[in-house]
């Protein structure tokens, strides 16, 4: 279900972005405000653009959200404060902690808006560390930072 919600959010974000760009062109007087003059094939082009947005929106969550494992030796009681401080340095705040698992959100409202409120990073305890789930580009950076912090000589 989370995948579908992310796809729908991105679909509407693309529509809003196109609407803003077209609005700027219209307000600047560069084009007339009719679909026939905005696009080569008029309404047919609008439908083609919407279909393209739907396809990209359907694929985007698959490539932009991931789960990766970070090797973090030690007990949760030993590593928890280090993880929380690392996440705070990176602009995250602890949202909830349930046993050995933790969830973080961005502290900046602007950052949360830019990511369409899909900014949660979840730490799930595994045998050799944590499985991190969230936005792919953040997860890669966080896994590297965690492993450097807790395994400095490997």
């Amino acid at each position: 279900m989370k995948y579908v919600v992310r796809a729908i959010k991105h679909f509407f974000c693309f529509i809003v972005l196109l609407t803003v760009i077209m609005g700027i062109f219209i307000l600047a007087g560069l084009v007339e405000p009719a679909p026939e003059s905005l696009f080569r094939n008029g309404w047919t082009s609008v439908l083609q653009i919407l279909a393209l947005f739907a396809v990209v929106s359907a694929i985007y969550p698959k490539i932009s959200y991931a789960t990766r494992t970070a090797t973090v030796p030690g007990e949760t009681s030993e590593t928890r404060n280090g993880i929380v401080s690392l996440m705070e340095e990176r602009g995250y705040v602890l949202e909830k902690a349930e046993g050995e698992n933790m969830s973080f959100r961005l502290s900046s409202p602007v950052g949360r808006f830019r990511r369409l409120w899909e900014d949660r990073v979840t730490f799930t305890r595994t045998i050799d560390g944590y499985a991190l789930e969230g936005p792919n580009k953040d997860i890669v950076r966080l896994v590297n930072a965690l492993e450097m912090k807790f395994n400095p000589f490997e």
Side-chain angles (χ1 to χ4, degrees):
M1 185 63 179
K2 194 185 314 185
Y3 188 93
V4 173
V5 170
R6 286 177 178 162
I8 291 170
K9 282 183 181 182
H10 286 95
F11 178 73
F12 285 111
C13 182
F14 290 142
I15 290 173
V16 168
L17 184 62
L18 178 67
T19 304
V20 168
I21 291 169
M22 299 315 309
I24 291 170
F25 286 156
I26 291 168
L27 291 175
L30 299 174
V31 294
E32 295 178 27
E36 292 78 18
S37 65
L38 284 171
F39 303 107
R40 179 180 296 173
N41 297 326
W43 284 106
T44 304
S45 292
V46 172
L47 294 175
Q48 290 171 344
I49 291 169
L50 291 177
L52 176 68
F53 286 171
V55 169
V56 171
S57 297
I59 296 170
Y60 188 72
K62 183 71 175 165
I63 59 174
S64 64
Y65 297 94
T67 301
R68 296 188 190 273
T69 303
T71 303
V72 179
E75 296 294 320
T76 304
S77 58
E78 301 167 357
T79 59
R80 180 184 171 107
N81 290 336
I83 291 171
V84 171
S85 68
L86 176 77
M87 294 300 286
E88 287 175 351
E89 290 171 11
R90 307 249 173 190
Y92 285 86
V93 293
L94 182 63
E95 180 184 36
K96 64 181 174 181
E98 297 174 349
E100 296 182 331
N101 302 330
M102 296 174 276
S103 177
F104 294 88
R105 302 296 303 252
L106 281 174
S107 57
S108 165
V110 174
R112 296 194 69 205
F113 171 75
R114 283 185 31 237
R115 296 181 184 202
L116 304 175
W117 293 273
E118 293 290 342
D119 60 332
R120 179 178 286 126
V121 175
T122 305
F123 284 67
T124 305
R125 189 68 172 161
T126 62
I127 292 173
D128 63 343
Y130 288 92
L132 281 69
E133 179 184 353
N136 197 20
K137 69 178 186 175
D138 290 345
I139 297 302
V140 170
R141 292 175 184 152
L142 290 171
V143 165
N144 289 334
L146 284 168
E147 290 181 347
M148 289 299 292
K149 181 173 184 128
F150 291 101
N151 305 312
F153 300 111
E154 287 187 12

